Amino acid sequence: HRKRCLSELVALLRRKGVRVTCLTGAGMSVSAGIPDFRSPGGMYDTLRPELLTATEEERGWMQMDPTAVVSWGLFHRNQLPYLELRRP
């Protein structure tokens, strides 16, 4: 019943030309069984910098602070660790 109601609502909004934006956060993926970055078993907990294409210095940054792998500073200098980490 909910699915039909939602479909009808979407159809109505389209007919009226209404624009809708949905904002989501980490709760969406966590509820689907995907660990967030910070939880035990999450990306920061399981990060293995030695497997990423990075200099020894960059690997050291990620070892000391796993959030460095998604930082602008590292991405600006070397995009590969971020891209390798995010690939499916």
Side-chain angles (χ1 to χ4, degrees), residues 4 7 10 29 31-32 34-38 42-43 47-48 55 58 66 72 77-79 86-87:
R4 193 183 91 229
S7 295
V10 169
S29 56
S31 65
I34 302 167
D36 64 24
F37 288 179
R38 295 169 193 87
M43 187 183 77
L47 180 66
R48 296 187 53 203
T55 66
E58 293 163 347
W72 172 248
R77 178 179 168 150
N78 178 3
Q79 300 84 32
R86 301 300 296 161
R87 77 174 160 225

Side-chain angles (χ1 to χ4, degrees), residues 36-82:
D36 64 24
F37 288 179
R38 295 169 193 87
S39 296
M43 187 183 77
Y44 295 149
D45 190 37
T46 59
L47 180 66
R48 296 187 53 203
E50 69 275 10
L51 300 179
L52 300 174
T53 305
T55 66
E56 286 303 316
E57 180 183 20
E58 293 163 347
R59 287 188 186 117
W61 296 345
M62 291 182 273
Q63 204 70 1
M64 288 186 333
D65 179 10
T67 65
V69 74
V70 293
S71 71
W72 172 248
L74 181 58
F75 185 82
H76 184 67
R77 178 179 168 150
N78 178 3
Q79 300 84 32
L80 291 175
Y82 175 82

Side-chain angles (χ1 to χ4, degrees), residues 6-28:
L6 183 58
S7 295
E8 290 172 3
L9 176 60
V10 169
L12 174 67
L13 293 173
R14 282 185 178 163
R15 281 195 306 271
K16 298 282 185 182
V18 176
R19 293 183 181 182
V20 176
T21 302
C22 297
L23 303 176
T24 65
M28 295 291 291

